[in-house]
Amino acid sequence: YVYFPLSLFFFLLKPETAAVLKRTVEALMERGAVVRNLENLGERSLPYKISKHKERHRRGGYFLIDLEGPPSIVSTMMDHLGRDIDVIRRAFIKHPVSKTEECSGIIPVNYEDKLIAKKK
């Protein structure tokens, strides 16, 4: 798999917050994602009334999950969260890949030279 940085952004209803977050993080990890951070952005009014699961919502809790995972998890997680009655909206945001330094590896050590140097 090629892993790339993503953020999962979603709103949800308040009473079941801990259970929803636990289910979501477990589902991400089952699909091969590495969860880096979970941030609660607070409860606030939604930008507009949202009808979801036969209810109208005016407020919601906003959460952001930073993760790294294979591209294949996006569609399966969107389906999974779409069926979750506690999630009002969800979105994945792909981060640009930051430039990383390549490891130059281990510098080879000549152990014979070290042994000879200690004998003298």
Side-chain angles (χ1 to χ4, degrees), residues 40-82:
N40 181 352
L41 302 176
E43 183 183 331
R44 58 182 90 157
S45 296
L46 300 175
Y48 50 88
K49 294 177 194 171
I50 298 175
S51 295
K52 186 74 172 183
H53 304 292
K54 300 178 183 177
E55 292 183 38
R56 291 185 60 92
H57 305 282
R58 290 185 165 90
R59 295 190 63 78
Y62 287 67
F63 291 88
L64 184 66
I65 300 175
D66 288 323
L67 60 112
E68 289 183 16
S72 60
I73 67 166
V74 174
S75 62
T76 59
M77 281 305 296
M78 290 296 279
D79 291 342
H80 174 78
L81 292 171

Side-chain angles (χ1 to χ4, degrees), residues 14 21-22 43 54-55 70 81 83 94 119-120:
K14 193 171 184 173
L21 292 173
K22 183 178 178 185
E43 183 183 331
K54 300 178 183 177
E55 292 183 38
L81 292 171
R83 288 189 303 270
K94 183 177 177 183
K119 287 182 183 178
K120 291 182 182 178

Side-chain angles (χ1 to χ4, degrees), residues 5-12 17 20-22 24-25 28 34-44 60-68 81 87 89-95:
L6 291 168
S7 289
L8 172 61
F9 177 72
F10 58 101
F11 329 133
L12 50 97
T17 301
V20 174
L21 292 173
K22 183 178 178 185
T24 303
V25 169
L28 286 165
V34 177
V35 176
R36 300 286 181 201
N37 191 23
L38 171 64
E39 188 175 349
N40 181 352
L41 302 176
E43 183 183 331
R44 58 182 90 157
Y62 287 67
F63 291 88
L64 184 66
I65 300 175
D66 288 323
L67 60 112
E68 289 183 16
L81 292 171
V87 176
R89 284 280 193 268
R90 72 264 185 234
F92 276 92
I93 304 161
K94 183 177 177 183
H95 293 280

